[in-house]
Amino acid sequence: MEYIVAGPTIVNDIIEYSGRTIRNVLGGSVYCVSGLLLWSPHIIYISKVGPDFSDFYGDYMRNNGISYEGITYPLVHTHYSTLIYDQDGNYREVSKYPHEDAAAYPASRIRAADIARCCSSNTRGIYLEANEDEVIWSELSVIRAKTDAPILWEIPADSLSNSPRRAKTLDIIQSTDLFSLSVTEGKQLFETQEEDHVIEKLQKLHGPCFLRAGARGSYWVTQHSVDFAPSVTVGPAVDQTGCGNASTAASLFAFAEGYSQKAIPMAANISAAFNILQYGPRMIIRESDRNHAQQLLKNFIDKKGGCAHE
């Protein structure tokens, strides 16, 4: 398959501060799948789940033509949590199966062999969501032996929580082809309050970085240039959850397809714009959505001057 997304699968119930409850919301790395699906239908999803996976994800997988080749079932239940929001928009997370969590976390970790068995000569990009302490980072040669497709790491917030973890994160960045984090996370990584300082530090690291700037838009940062694209709107905003995942995955597509440095962050922002239209991922990506996305990208490039591809 051309694009591979590897990461955790989650189901959430969301309890808003008003008391409104939205149940069975798909979450986790499926947001990345949807961010990529807006640009390419050729995706395989690698995740470790429970036998109830199809109860929640069956319609999504079927609607979008995603095979179960990358899905395995080592868990008793698919990860399921309730998110309880306060007045300020913060939330606490309560697991539906707390007695299973200790065993479920290690069992759900993705290994390099899980990805390698799904790679082929057609593989164009791999999105990986994993903490800095996972064994997969010592196994990347297993994947590299099967494909030279770029590997993108979306850095989890947990991997920036203290100095030893930040140091390990900086080491791992050197073994990836590109990576992503938010401006806030960049400030944590480099222990600064200045956005410009974050960008300067990123330019000294190996590989390009897709730097997310929240509602403002995003940057594409390389050693030689910095390009910013503003956010875009395609409809009323409902829920911003997963916009970072969706946009990061789209940046992988744009990078792998040779999009210009101006086009990469805008393609990512467009995926975020579609993601924000509903709770959970967009349940079906239609060809009309892909055409709309391409037109939005063309309009941006035409306005900026230049072309979408390098």
Side-chain angles (χ1 to χ4, degrees):
M1 195 59 71
E2 290 183 359
Y3 290 93
I4 293 173
V5 171
T9 293
I10 301 170
V11 183
N12 291 130
D13 289 342
I14 298 172
I15 302 178
E16 297 178 337
Y17 180 70
S18 65
R20 180 188 177 202
T21 300
I22 304 97
R23 299 193 184 280
N24 300 338
V25 178
L26 308 188
S29 295
V30 71
Y31 286 112
C32 312
V33 175
S34 284
L36 270 166
L37 277 172
L38 191 62
W39 304 96
S40 171
H42 306 298
I43 297 169
I44 189 162
Y45 183 32
I46 297 175
S47 194
K48 297 186 177 183
V49 302
D52 56 352
F53 174 80
S54 291
D55 296 342
F56 304 108
Y57 278 79
D59 288 345
Y60 181 86
M61 301 288 278
R62 181 171 54 255
N63 290 345
N64 292 293
I66 302 171
S67 81
Y68 281 72
E69 179 185 352
I71 304 298
T72 53
Y73 302 87
L75 309 184
V76 178
H77 293 95
T78 300
H79 293 299
Y80 199 131
S81 297
T82 298
L83 307 182
I84 304 170
Y85 281 81
D86 63 21
Q87 190 172 10
D88 297 326
N90 301 312
Y91 67 85
R92 60 188 177 91
E93 185 173 356
V94 180
S95 174
K96 187 173 182 178
Y97 309 108
H99 57 289
E100 297 175 12
D101 287 351
Y105 178 68
S108 63
R109 286 183 166 184
I110 306 296
R111 300 291 297 268
D114 300 316
I115 296 173
R117 69 182 178 83
C118 295
C119 292
S120 72
S121 59
N122 295 324
T123 302
R124 299 184 62 80
I126 299 167
Y127 169 102
L128 179 57
E129 189 168 358
N131 286 330
E132 89 294 341
D133 62 348
E134 298 194 20
V135 70
I136 192 170
W137 300 116
S138 64
E139 302 174 334
L140 290 185
S141 61
V142 175
I143 300 173
R144 301 292 191 190
K146 294 291 294 292
T147 179
D148 59 0
I151 297 173
L152 179 150
W153 182 31
E154 182 172 350
I155 300 172
D158 286 352
S159 295
L160 308 169
S161 61
N162 57 48
S163 293
R165 297 189 75 171
R166 289 192 289 271
K168 179 66 172 175
T169 293
L170 285 168
D171 284 341
I172 292 171
I173 285 171
Q174 306 305 313
S175 64
T176 62
D177 299 295
L178 61 159
F179 62 100
S180 175
L181 72 172
S182 69
V183 169
T184 299
E185 291 163 346
K187 291 177 179 179
Q188 285 182 275
L189 179 61
F190 299 116
E191 300 180 85
T192 180
Q193 294 301 312
E194 302 298 326
E195 187 168 316
D196 288 347
H197 189 204
V198 170
I199 292 172
E200 289 172 7
K201 290 287 190 179
L202 289 173
Q203 287 197 277
K204 296 176 182 179
L205 296 181
H206 165 77
C209 175
F210 173 62
L211 180 65
R212 310 184 305 274
R216 290 188 291 124
S218 61
Y219 296 91
W220 183 249
V221 182
T222 73
Q223 292 179 337
H224 306 293
S225 64
V226 178
D227 289 275
F228 178 80
S231 60
V232 61
T233 300
V234 298
V238 173
D239 181 33
Q240 65 182 5
T241 305
C243 284
N245 302 106
S247 59
T248 295
S251 76
L252 169 64
F253 170 85
F255 173 77
E257 297 295 326
Y259 280 32
S260 71
Q261 294 186 160
K262 290 183 175 66
I264 291 172
M266 178 49 72
N269 295 348
I270 291 168
S271 278
F274 277 86
N275 182 79
I276 208 169
L277 299 177
Q278 64 284 305
Y279 287 98
R282 196 167 180 83
M283 286 301 292
I284 180 169
I285 302 292
R286 304 182 187 278
E287 201 58 35
S288 58
D289 294 325
R290 295 191 181 100
N291 292 337
H292 188 185
Q294 290 287 352
Q295 187 60 52
L296 288 169
L297 182 60
K298 182 179 183 302
N299 292 346
F300 173 76
I301 295 301
D302 287 348
K303 184 177 180 180
K304 283 285 187 179
C307 57
H309 289 78
E310 296 285 17

